[in-house]
Amino acid sequence: GQQVMQIPQYQHVQEGEDFTTYCNSSTTLSNIQWYKQRPGGHPVFLIQLVKSGEVKKQKRLTFQFGEAKKNSSLHITATQTTDVGTYFCAGYGNKLVFGAGTILRVKS
Amino acid sequence: GAGVSQSPSNKVTEKGKDVELRCDPISGHTALYWYRQSLGQGLEFLIYFQGNSAPDKSGLPSDRFSAERTGGSVSTLTIQRTQQEDSAVYLCASSLGESRTYFGPGTRLTVT
């Protein structure tokens, strides 16, 4: 069945450092979505990528969708304490399947 | 309402009892998902409804779990003969086809 792998599981960075999480699907996706979950909260949609090779930016966040539409990454430049939380990718093959998430902690 | 709602927000039940969790998706959303999240863990897919198609039940962990969606709107997830390992937050989400998915606040289930 459709599987989505996400690494790393956990990242602890100094404020101001960059952060990247990677996502890989076992099948070709029609789109990939990224979500952020704060402690005690529910996942909140960040962005959706649809096209092969697509790159989108939201302020300090850069999202990429691979050429084969099987992998994706989220890069945060100069992390801030407000970036803490768990970042999930979710790949849509025939349904939306989530990666395990990357927990980001930021040390100030 | 404007978002996905779930009830109850918290449920404490004794081992062996049945529970029903309810989800009210955003009006007009054709897709509805149930996920389970244990403390500090990822989102475990349970079941997916899309329009009038047969639901994708491939994520249900055992035959004690079932779900239905009536009239293409409200969904109920039922867990029979609850076990302690069923304790988790159950999240419902809805979307219009393949577009962004909106999550409800979740139901925290504790089996004692």
Side-chain angles (χ1 to χ4, degrees), chain B residues 9-84:
Chain B
S9 55
N10 280 284
K11 177 72 176 179
V12 179
T13 190
E14 291 180 353
K15 177 181 171 181
K17 295 283 180 69
D18 298 352
V19 295
E20 283 190 354
L21 312 180
R22 178 187 168 104
C23 171
D24 281 90
I26 293 174
S27 178
H29 277 191
T30 54
L32 187 148
Y33 296 83
W34 283 98
Y35 296 93
R36 178 169 72 174
Q37 188 172 35
S38 300
L39 188 63
Q41 301 299 309
L43 297 166
E44 178 187 4
F45 167 77
L46 296 178
I47 190 167
Y48 165 51
F49 297 89
Q50 172 59 52
N52 295 320
S53 302
D56 182 336
K57 304 179 181 180
S58 59
L60 294 178
S62 76
D63 58 9
R64 295 187 295 105
F65 288 72
S66 63
E68 60 179 25
R69 187 179 186 191
T70 53
S73 181
V74 171
S75 177
T76 302
L77 176 69
T78 301
I79 309 173
Q80 296 178 313
R81 305 181 302 282
T82 52
Q83 305 294 312
Q84 287 187 331

Side-chain angles (χ1 to χ4, degrees), chain A residues 3 12 14 31 39 49 60 63 67 72 77 89 91-92:
Chain A
Q3 291 186 347
H12 194 174
Q14 188 73 36
N31 72 69
L49 303 171
R60 294 178 295 104
F63 304 85
E67 293 290 339
S72 181
T77 304
C89 63
Y92 194 99

Side-chain angles (χ1 to χ4, degrees), chain A residues 6-70:
Chain A
Q6 188 174 355
I7 58 169
Q9 182 180 359
Y10 181 81
Q11 187 97 43
H12 194 174
V13 302
Q14 188 73 36
E15 189 175 20
E17 290 182 341
D18 293 355
F19 160 78
T20 305
T21 174
Y22 301 90
C23 199
N24 196 52
S25 170
S26 59
T27 59
T28 301
L29 303 169
S30 59
N31 72 69
I32 195 152
Q33 303 173 23
W34 286 90
Y35 292 78
K36 178 181 179 180
Q37 184 177 28
R38 294 182 182 274
H42 58 271
V44 174
F45 175 84
L46 293 176
I47 207 159
Q48 181 181 33
L49 303 171
V50 178
K51 299 176 184 175
S52 169
E54 188 169 14
V55 177
K56 286 189 175 180
K57 292 190 176 184
Q58 288 180 349
K59 297 183 180 177
R60 294 178 295 104
L61 277 62
T62 302
F63 304 85
Q64 293 188 335
F65 199 11
E67 293 290 339
K69 300 184 75 173
K70 295 181 74 173

